[in-house]
Amino acid sequence: MKIRIKGNSLRYRLTKSEVEALGTLGFLSESSHFMSKTLEYAITTTSNGNLSADFIDNRIVLNMPEKMVEELVNTDKVGFSELSGPVSLLIEKDFTCLDNVEEDQSDNYPNPHLNS
């Protein structure tokens, strides 16, 4: 799971196995360990109808409605976006890059622009 933060914008990108795990478990979490603190970023499934996010105790949690998770898992839908207070939220499937990168992309979704 990758996150990208820019100003008041928060973007989560999920590989195939992460999308499947979210659908099965209803929760994903990863951590980045710094010298004195750890930043955790997570997604949790909720019964609420909107994407929302919060940051409490060094933990960013994206709350994703069950309906959206189900659609992300079972359809070709690429992602969802929504405004949560002042923060723009985006969650999407992670596609392979069009240029050469050194990271392992074997679990990413095929890029629809690859054969364009």
Side-chain angles (χ1 to χ4, degrees), residues 7-99:
N8 275 354
S9 168
L10 178 62
R11 176 182 176 186
Y12 279 70
R13 294 175 80 186
L14 307 179
T15 63
K16 291 182 211 176
S17 59
E18 290 165 340
V19 169
E20 290 172 18
L22 182 60
T24 303
L25 304 172
F27 181 82
L28 289 176
S29 177
E30 288 204 18
S31 299
S32 293
H33 303 280
F34 296 89
M35 294 292 283
S36 63
K37 295 193 185 227
T38 297
L39 171 65
E40 182 184 3
Y41 47 102
I43 302 172
T44 188
T45 304
T46 68
S47 56
N48 188 349
N50 300 315
L51 283 176
S52 64
D54 210 345
F55 179 67
I56 300 170
D57 296 328
N58 302 318
R59 186 170 189 246
I60 301 169
V61 179
L62 177 71
N63 302 296
M64 188 171 181
E66 294 167 345
K67 251 182 160 175
M68 287 182 185
V69 172
E70 190 175 302
E71 193 172 346
L72 196 66
V73 171
N74 297 314
T75 71
D76 290 336
K77 178 89 174 175
V78 172
F80 297 91
S81 63
E82 202 155 316
L83 204 55
S84 177
V87 180
S88 175
L89 304 174
L90 174 63
I91 183 164
E92 61 189 354
K93 294 175 178 173
D94 197 5
F95 292 110
T96 55
C97 295
L98 294 175
D99 51 356

